[in-house]
Amino acid sequence: MAGMQDRNELKLFSELQLSKTMQRQLADANFIHPTPVQAAALPPALEGRDVLATAQTGTGKTLSFLIPLIERMAASAKDTKALVLLPTRELAMQVLGAWRDLTQGQGKAALVCGGLAEGPQLTAIRKGARLIVATPGRLEDYLSRKLVNLSSVKLLVLDEVDRMLDMGFKPAIRRIAAVLPQERQTLCYSATLSPAIREVASLYLRNPVRIDISAELKPSPNVKLQTFEVPMDKKQELLEHLLGTNKGSFMVFVRTKHGADRVARRLSRAGFAAAPIHGDRSQSQRSSALRGFAEGRHRVLVATDVVARGIDVADVAHVVNYDLPREAEDFVHRVGRTGRAASHGVASTFAAPDEAHALRKIERTLTVTSTKYRVRPNNVQVSPAA
């Protein structure tokens, strides 16, 4: 594996050897200074090197792989195609939207994912889409039915590989990669570099440039962390108390799909505009919930972890861990929905008395401390913990 990339070299997008069209599109979109992952990944990717990058969602990695894809396809034969594999429909739709913005609607692309009608997806592929943005399950299904030909894919992006493996897509990725040309460029992105990710890298990348933007797993310093020791049967009251005493939008994380529906339903009955988003909701329901939240019609979005991985909504004021996350990494990911870029946010974690040990373990892993409060059993009066 190649050595670590010096990410301090690139200061401006204009320093890159890009086409005039791309430079103009970046300038028009007001992309001037690259983020750390863009500064590190773009030079080797534009040279045709394979890249293995660890970076969280919200670090600008989408642009770091879209620019090389667009430049390579513009400079190569018409039959050169690119494939981007992602874990969720929401993420796939966001990447396709970013590609359309960056190309100003030029070029043909296909979205391939479950929960949407097959007809338009297959039509886009047959009409010569040069970019396919897909979730592994649906693309593997098309391959097994011989509805798609990937023999011209010369660029492969594996985005959020850790989440794809968590969702059981490892066999699908293997079968998809098996039909791709051996001579190709592969860009791989993951929030962590676990042994499973290293195995993926050894199988599908050749001498990759290694980039690490997330060496330190830690919430943003822009986020105020606070913890509430609260009985299980008082969580809903506490959430409504926080909504009543704080301004701005809330993203609430729960552990189960049923829990997301229940919390959102109770909030709606209490007069708060809330919408659930999870894997059992239809694509139109999920899109409507996201759109309503982004546009301010829903003040509260109640989400499960898997779906939330593919959500990138600006200006979330408050994150609530209604259910304690299982892993420290999930805590960072959830909290990362607020306090993005230069903005500030608040993250509140609800912990039942018997979850104190699990919470301490997460805080020790991340070397963070939060302001502690205790909710009294007979009301929702909040007081500092002793």
Coordinates of all heavy atoms in Angstrom, one line a residue, residues 31-102:
F31 N -16.9 26.7 -5.3 CA -15.9 25.8 -4.7 C -14.5 26.4 -4.9 O -14.0 26.4 -6.1 CB -16.0 24.4 -5.4 CG -17.3 23.7 -5.0 CD1 -18.1 23.2 -6.0 CD2 -17.6 23.4 -3.7 CE1 -19.3 22.5 -5.6 CE2 -18.7 22.7 -3.3 CZ -19.6 22.2 -4.3
I32 N -14.0 27.0 -3.9 CA -12.7 27.6 -4.0 C -11.6 26.9 -3.3 O -10.6 26.5 -3.8 CB -12.7 29.1 -3.4 CG1 -13.9 29.9 -4.0 CG2 -11.4 29.8 -3.7 CD1 -13.8 30.0 -5.5
H33 N -11.9 26.6 -2.0 CA -10.9 25.9 -1.1 C -11.3 24.5 -0.9 O -12.4 24.2 -0.4 CB -10.7 26.6 0.2 CG -10.3 28.0 0.1 ND1 -9.0 28.4 -0.2 CD2 -11.0 29.2 0.1 CE1 -8.9 29.7 -0.2 NE2 -10.2 30.2 0.0
P34 N -10.5 23.5 -1.3 CA -10.9 22.1 -1.0 C -10.9 21.7 0.4 O -10.1 22.3 1.2 CB -9.8 21.3 -1.8 CG -8.6 22.2 -1.9 CD -9.2 23.6 -1.9
T35 N -11.7 20.8 0.8 CA -11.7 20.3 2.2 C -10.5 19.3 2.3 O -9.9 19.0 1.3 CB -13.0 19.5 2.5 OG1 -13.0 18.3 1.6 CG2 -14.2 20.3 2.2
P36 N -10.1 18.9 3.5 CA -8.9 18.1 3.6 C -9.0 16.8 2.8 O -8.0 16.4 2.2 CB -8.9 17.8 5.1 CG -9.5 19.0 5.8 CD -10.6 19.4 4.8
V37 N -10.1 16.1 2.7 CA -10.2 14.9 2.0 C -10.1 15.2 0.5 O -9.5 14.4 -0.3 CB -11.5 14.1 2.3 CG1 -12.7 14.7 1.8 CG2 -11.4 12.7 1.7
Q38 N -10.7 16.3 0.0 CA -10.5 16.7 -1.4 C -9.1 17.0 -1.7 O -8.5 16.6 -2.7 CB -11.4 17.9 -1.7 CG -12.9 17.6 -1.6 CD -13.8 18.8 -1.5 OE1 -13.3 19.9 -1.4 NE2 -15.1 18.6 -1.3
A39 N -8.4 17.8 -0.8 CA -7.0 18.2 -1.1 C -6.1 17.0 -1.1 O -5.1 16.9 -1.9 CB -6.6 19.1 0.0
A40 N -6.4 16.0 -0.3 CA -5.5 14.8 -0.3 C -5.9 13.8 -1.4 O -5.0 13.2 -2.0 CB -5.7 14.1 1.0
A41 N -7.2 13.6 -1.7 CA -7.6 12.6 -2.7 C -7.5 13.0 -4.1 O -7.3 12.2 -5.0 CB -9.0 12.1 -2.3
L42 N -7.8 14.3 -4.4 CA -7.9 14.7 -5.8 C -6.6 14.5 -6.6 O -6.7 14.0 -7.7 CB -8.4 16.1 -5.9 CG -9.9 16.3 -5.7 CD1 -10.3 17.7 -5.5 CD2 -10.6 15.7 -7.0
P43 N -5.5 15.0 -6.1 CA -4.3 14.8 -7.0 C -4.0 13.4 -7.4 O -3.8 13.1 -8.6 CB -3.1 15.4 -6.1 CG -3.9 16.4 -5.3 CD -5.2 15.8 -4.9
P44 N -3.9 12.4 -6.5 CA -3.7 11.0 -7.0 C -4.8 10.5 -7.8 O -4.6 9.7 -8.8 CB -3.5 10.2 -5.7 CG -4.1 11.0 -4.6 CD -4.0 12.5 -5.0
A45 N -6.0 10.8 -7.5 CA -7.2 10.3 -8.2 C -7.1 10.8 -9.7 O -7.4 10.1 -10.6 CB -8.5 10.7 -7.6
L46 N -6.8 12.1 -9.8 CA -6.7 12.7 -11.2 C -5.5 12.1 -12.0 O -5.6 12.1 -13.2 CB -6.5 14.2 -11.1 CG -7.8 14.9 -10.6 CD1 -7.5 16.4 -10.2 CD2 -8.8 14.9 -11.8
E47 N -4.5 11.6 -11.3 CA -3.4 10.9 -11.9 C -3.8 9.5 -12.3 O -3.0 8.8 -13.0 CB -2.2 10.8 -11.0 CG -1.5 12.2 -10.8 CD -0.5 12.1 -9.7 OE1 -0.2 11.0 -9.2 OE2 0.1 13.2 -9.3
G48 N -4.9 9.0 -11.9 CA -5.3 7.6 -12.3 C -5.0 6.6 -11.2 O -5.2 5.4 -11.4
R49 N -4.5 7.1 -10.0 CA -4.1 6.1 -9.0 C -5.4 5.6 -8.3 O -6.4 6.3 -8.2 CB -3.2 6.9 -7.9 CG -1.9 7.3 -8.5 CD -0.9 6.2 -8.7 NE -0.7 5.4 -7.5 CZ 0.1 5.8 -6.5 NH1 0.8 6.9 -6.6 NH2 0.3 5.0 -5.4
D50 N -5.3 4.4 -7.7 CA -6.3 3.9 -6.7 C -6.2 4.7 -5.4 O -5.0 5.0 -5.0 CB -6.2 2.4 -6.5 CG -6.7 1.6 -7.7 OD1 -7.1 2.2 -8.7 OD2 -6.8 0.4 -7.6
V51 N -7.3 4.9 -4.7 CA -7.2 5.7 -3.5 C -8.0 4.9 -2.4 O -9.2 4.4 -2.7 CB -7.8 7.1 -3.7 CG1 -8.1 7.8 -2.3 CG2 -6.9 7.9 -4.5
L52 N -7.5 4.8 -1.2 CA -8.2 4.2 -0.1 C -8.2 5.3 1.0 O -7.2 5.7 1.6 CB -7.5 3.0 0.5 CG -8.0 2.4 1.8 CD1 -9.5 2.0 1.7 CD2 -7.1 1.3 2.3
A53 N -9.4 5.9 1.2 CA -9.5 7.0 2.1 C -10.5 6.7 3.3 O -11.6 6.1 3.1 CB -10.0 8.3 1.4
T54 N -10.1 7.1 4.5 CA -11.0 7.1 5.6 C -11.5 8.5 5.9 O -10.6 9.4 6.2 CB -10.3 6.4 6.9 OG1 -9.0 6.9 7.0 CG2 -10.3 4.9 6.8
A55 N -12.8 8.7 5.8 CA -13.3 10.0 6.0 C -14.8 9.9 6.4 O -15.5 9.0 5.8 CB -13.2 10.9 4.8
Q56 N -15.3 10.7 7.3 CA -16.7 10.6 7.7 C -17.6 11.3 6.6 O -17.1 12.1 5.8 CB -16.9 11.4 9.0 CG -16.0 10.9 10.1 CD -16.6 9.6 10.7 OE1 -17.7 9.2 10.5 NE2 -15.8 8.9 11.5
T57 N -18.9 11.0 6.7 CA -19.9 11.7 5.9 C -19.8 13.2 6.3 O -19.6 13.5 7.4 CB -21.3 11.2 6.2 OG1 -21.3 9.8 5.8 CG2 -22.3 11.9 5.3
G58 N -20.0 14.1 5.3 CA -20.0 15.5 5.5 C -18.6 16.1 5.4 O -18.4 17.3 5.7
T59 N -17.6 15.4 5.0 CA -16.2 15.9 4.8 C -15.9 16.4 3.4 O -14.8 16.8 3.1 CB -15.2 14.9 5.2 OG1 -15.4 13.7 4.5 CG2 -15.3 14.6 6.7
G60 N -16.9 16.2 2.5 CA -16.7 16.6 1.1 C -16.1 15.5 0.2 O -15.6 15.8 -0.9
K61 N -16.3 14.3 0.6 CA -15.7 13.2 -0.2 C -16.4 13.0 -1.5 O -15.7 12.5 -2.5 CB -15.6 11.9 0.6 CG -16.9 11.4 1.2 CD -16.6 10.2 2.1 CE -17.9 9.8 2.9 NZ -18.9 9.2 2.0
T62 N -17.7 13.3 -1.6 CA -18.4 13.1 -2.9 C -17.7 13.9 -4.0 O -17.5 13.3 -5.1 CB -19.8 13.6 -2.7 OG1 -20.5 12.9 -1.7 CG2 -20.6 13.4 -4.0
L63 N -17.3 15.1 -3.7 CA -16.6 15.9 -4.8 C -15.3 15.3 -5.1 O -14.8 15.4 -6.2 CB -16.5 17.4 -4.3 CG -16.4 18.4 -5.4 CD1 -17.7 18.5 -6.2 CD2 -16.2 19.8 -4.7
S64 N -14.6 14.7 -4.1 CA -13.3 14.2 -4.3 C -13.3 13.0 -5.3 O -12.2 12.6 -5.8 CB -12.6 13.8 -3.0 OG -13.2 12.5 -2.5
F65 N -14.4 12.3 -5.4 CA -14.5 11.3 -6.5 C -15.2 11.7 -7.7 O -15.0 11.1 -8.8 CB -15.0 9.9 -5.9 CG -16.4 9.9 -5.4 CD1 -17.5 9.9 -6.2 CD2 -16.6 9.7 -4.0 CE1 -18.8 9.8 -5.7 CE2 -17.9 9.6 -3.5 CZ -19.0 9.7 -4.3
L66 N -16.2 12.6 -7.6 CA -16.9 13.0 -8.8 C -16.0 13.8 -9.8 O -16.2 13.6 -11.0 CB -18.1 13.9 -8.4 CG -19.4 13.1 -7.9 CD1 -20.5 14.1 -7.6 CD2 -19.8 12.0 -8.8
I67 N -15.2 14.7 -9.3 CA -14.3 15.4 -10.2 C -13.5 14.5 -11.0 O -13.4 14.7 -12.3 CB -13.5 16.5 -9.4 CG1 -14.4 17.6 -8.8 CG2 -12.4 17.1 -10.3 CD1 -13.7 18.6 -7.9
P68 N -12.7 13.5 -10.5 CA -11.9 12.6 -11.3 C -12.8 11.8 -12.3 O -12.4 11.6 -13.4 CB -11.2 11.7 -10.3 CG -11.2 12.5 -9.0 CD -12.5 13.3 -9.0
L69 N -14.0 11.4 -11.8 CA -14.9 10.6 -12.7 C -15.3 11.5 -13.9 O -15.2 11.0 -15.1 CB -16.2 10.2 -12.0 CG -16.1 9.2 -10.9 CD1 -17.5 8.7 -10.5 CD2 -15.2 8.0 -11.2
I70 N -15.7 12.7 -13.7 CA -16.2 13.6 -14.8 C -15.0 13.9 -15.7 O -15.2 13.9 -16.9 CB -16.8 14.8 -14.2 CG1 -18.1 14.5 -13.4 CG2 -17.1 15.9 -15.3 CD1 -18.6 15.6 -12.5
E71 N -13.9 14.2 -15.2 CA -12.7 14.6 -16.0 C -12.2 13.4 -16.9 O -12.0 13.5 -18.0 CB -11.5 15.0 -15.1 CG -11.7 16.4 -14.5 CD -11.7 17.5 -15.5 OE1 -12.7 17.9 -16.1 OE2 -10.6 18.1 -15.7
R72 N -12.2 12.2 -16.2 CA -11.8 11.0 -17.0 C -12.7 10.7 -18.1 O -12.3 10.3 -19.2 CB -11.6 9.8 -16.0 CG -11.4 8.5 -16.6 CD -9.9 8.1 -16.6 NE -9.7 6.8 -17.2 CZ -9.5 5.7 -16.5 NH1 -9.5 5.7 -15.2 NH2 -9.3 4.5 -17.1
M73 N -14.0 10.7 -17.8 CA -15.0 10.4 -18.8 C -15.0 11.4 -20.0 O -15.2 11.1 -21.1 CB -16.4 10.2 -18.2 CG -16.5 8.9 -17.4 SD -18.3 8.6 -17.0 CE -18.6 9.8 -15.7
A74 N -14.8 12.7 -19.6 CA -14.8 13.7 -20.6 C -13.6 13.6 -21.6 O -13.6 13.9 -22.8 CB -14.7 15.1 -20.0
A75 N -12.5 13.0 -21.1 CA -11.2 12.9 -21.9 C -11.1 11.5 -22.5 O -10.1 11.3 -23.3 CB -10.0 13.1 -21.0
S76 N -12.0 10.6 -22.3 CA -11.9 9.2 -22.8 C -13.0 8.9 -23.8 O -13.9 9.7 -24.1 CB -11.9 8.2 -21.7 OG -13.1 8.3 -21.0
A77 N -12.8 7.7 -24.4 CA -13.8 7.2 -25.4 C -15.2 7.2 -24.8 O -15.4 7.0 -23.6 CB -13.4 5.8 -25.8
K78 N -16.2 7.3 -25.7 CA -17.6 7.4 -25.2 C -18.0 6.1 -24.5 O -19.0 6.1 -23.8 CB -18.5 7.6 -26.5 CG -18.3 8.9 -27.1 CD -18.9 10.0 -26.2 CE -18.8 11.4 -26.9 NZ -19.2 12.5 -26.0
D79 N -17.3 5.0 -24.7 CA -17.8 3.8 -24.0 C -17.2 3.6 -22.7 O -17.5 2.6 -22.0 CB -17.5 2.5 -24.9 CG -16.0 2.3 -25.1 OD1 -15.2 3.2 -24.8 OD2 -15.6 1.2 -25.5
T80 N -16.4 4.5 -22.2 CA -15.8 4.4 -20.8 C -16.9 4.8 -19.8 O -17.5 5.9 -19.9 CB -14.6 5.4 -20.7 OG1 -13.6 4.9 -21.5 CG2 -14.1 5.3 -19.2
K81 N -17.2 3.9 -18.9 CA -18.2 4.2 -17.9 C -17.7 4.2 -16.5 O -16.6 3.6 -16.2 CB -19.3 3.1 -18.1 CG -20.1 3.2 -19.4 CD -21.1 2.1 -19.5 CE -21.8 2.2 -20.8 NZ -22.8 1.1 -21.0
A82 N -18.5 4.7 -15.6 CA -18.1 4.8 -14.2 C -19.2 4.2 -13.4 O -20.4 4.4 -13.7 CB -17.8 6.2 -13.7
L83 N -18.9 3.5 -12.3 CA -19.9 2.9 -11.4 C -19.6 3.4 -9.9 O -18.4 3.3 -9.5 CB -19.8 1.4 -11.4 CG -20.6 0.6 -10.4 CD1 -22.1 0.9 -10.5 CD2 -20.3 -0.9 -10.5
V84 N -20.6 3.9 -9.3 CA -20.5 4.3 -7.9 C -21.4 3.4 -7.1 O -22.6 3.4 -7.3 CB -20.9 5.8 -7.6 CG1 -20.7 6.2 -6.2 CG2 -20.0 6.7 -8.5
L85 N -20.9 2.7 -6.1 CA -21.7 1.8 -5.2 C -21.8 2.5 -3.8 O -20.8 2.9 -3.3 CB -21.0 0.5 -5.1 CG -21.1 -0.5 -6.3 CD1 -20.4 -1.8 -5.9 CD2 -22.5 -0.7 -6.7
L86 N -23.0 2.5 -3.3 CA -23.3 3.2 -2.0 C -24.3 2.4 -1.2 O -25.0 1.5 -1.8 CB -23.9 4.6 -2.3 CG -23.2 5.5 -3.3 CD1 -24.2 5.8 -4.4 CD2 -22.7 6.7 -2.6
P87 N -24.4 2.6 0.1 CA -25.2 1.7 0.9 C -26.7 2.0 0.8 O -27.5 1.1 1.0 CB -24.7 1.9 2.3 CG -24.0 3.2 2.3 CD -23.5 3.4 0.9
T88 N -27.1 3.3 0.6 CA -28.5 3.6 0.7 C -29.0 4.4 -0.5 O -28.3 5.1 -1.2 CB -28.8 4.5 2.0 OG1 -28.2 5.7 1.8 CG2 -28.3 3.8 3.2
R89 N -30.3 4.3 -0.7 CA -31.0 5.1 -1.7 C -30.8 6.6 -1.6 O -30.5 7.3 -2.5 CB -32.5 4.8 -1.7 CG -32.9 3.5 -2.3 CD -34.4 3.2 -2.1 NE -34.7 3.0 -0.7 CZ -35.8 2.4 -0.3 NH1 -36.7 2.0 -1.1 NH2 -36.1 2.2 1.0
E90 N -30.9 7.1 -0.3 CA -30.7 8.5 -0.1 C -29.4 9.0 -0.5 O -29.2 10.0 -1.2 CB -31.0 8.8 1.4 CG -32.4 8.8 1.8 CD -33.0 7.4 1.9 OE1 -32.2 6.4 2.1 OE2 -34.2 7.3 1.9
L91 N -28.3 8.3 -0.1 CA -27.0 8.6 -0.5 C -26.8 8.6 -2.0 O -26.2 9.5 -2.6 CB -26.0 7.7 0.2 CG -24.6 8.3 0.4 CD1 -24.5 9.6 1.1 CD2 -23.7 7.3 1.2
A92 N -27.3 7.6 -2.6 CA -27.2 7.4 -4.1 C -27.9 8.6 -4.8 O -27.4 9.2 -5.7 CB -27.9 6.1 -4.6
M93 N -29.1 9.0 -4.3 CA -29.8 10.2 -4.9 C -29.0 11.5 -4.7 O -29.0 12.3 -5.6 CB -31.2 10.2 -4.3 CG -32.1 9.1 -4.7 SD -33.6 8.9 -3.8 CE -34.6 10.2 -4.6
Q94 N -28.4 11.6 -3.5 CA -27.6 12.8 -3.3 C -26.4 12.9 -4.2 O -26.0 14.0 -4.7 CB -27.2 12.9 -1.8 CG -28.3 13.2 -0.9 CD -27.9 13.2 0.6 OE1 -26.8 13.3 0.9 NE2 -28.9 13.1 1.5
V95 N -25.7 11.7 -4.4 CA -24.5 11.7 -5.3 C -24.9 12.1 -6.7 O -24.3 12.8 -7.4 CB -23.8 10.4 -5.2 CG1 -22.8 10.2 -6.3 CG2 -23.1 10.2 -3.8
L96 N -26.0 11.5 -7.1 CA -26.5 11.8 -8.5 C -26.9 13.3 -8.6 O -26.6 13.9 -9.6 CB -27.7 10.9 -8.8 CG -28.1 10.9 -10.3 CD1 -27.0 10.4 -11.2 CD2 -29.4 10.0 -10.5
G97 N -27.5 13.8 -7.6 CA -27.8 15.3 -7.6 C -26.6 16.1 -7.7 O -26.5 17.1 -8.4
A98 N -25.5 15.7 -6.9 CA -24.2 16.5 -7.0 C -23.6 16.4 -8.3 O -23.0 17.4 -8.8 CB -23.3 16.0 -5.9
W99 N -23.7 15.2 -8.9 CA -23.1 15.0 -10.3 C -23.8 15.9 -11.3 O -23.2 16.5 -12.1 CB -23.2 13.5 -10.7 CG -22.7 13.2 -12.1 CD1 -21.4 13.1 -12.5 CD2 -23.5 13.1 -13.3 NE1 -21.4 12.8 -13.8 CE2 -22.6 12.8 -14.3 CE3 -24.9 13.2 -13.5 CZ2 -23.1 12.7 -15.6 CZ3 -25.3 13.0 -14.8 CH2 -24.4 12.7 -15.9
R100 N -25.2 15.9 -11.2 CA -25.9 16.8 -12.1 C -25.6 18.3 -11.9 O -25.5 19.0 -12.9 CB -27.4 16.5 -12.0 CG -27.8 15.2 -12.6 CD -29.3 14.9 -12.4 NE -29.7 13.7 -13.1 CZ -30.6 12.8 -12.7 NH1 -31.2 13.1 -11.5 NH2 -30.9 11.8 -13.4
D101 N -25.4 18.7 -10.7 CA -25.1 20.1 -10.4 C -23.7 20.4 -11.0 O -23.5 21.5 -11.6 CB -25.0 20.3 -8.9 CG -26.4 20.3 -8.3 OD1 -27.4 20.5 -9.0 OD2 -26.5 20.2 -7.0
L102 N -22.8 19.5 -10.8 CA -21.4 19.7 -11.3 C -21.2 19.7 -12.8 O -20.4 20.3 -13.4 CB -20.5 18.7 -10.6 CG -19.0 19.0 -10.5 CD1 -18.8 20.3 -9.7 CD2 -18.3 17.9 -9.8

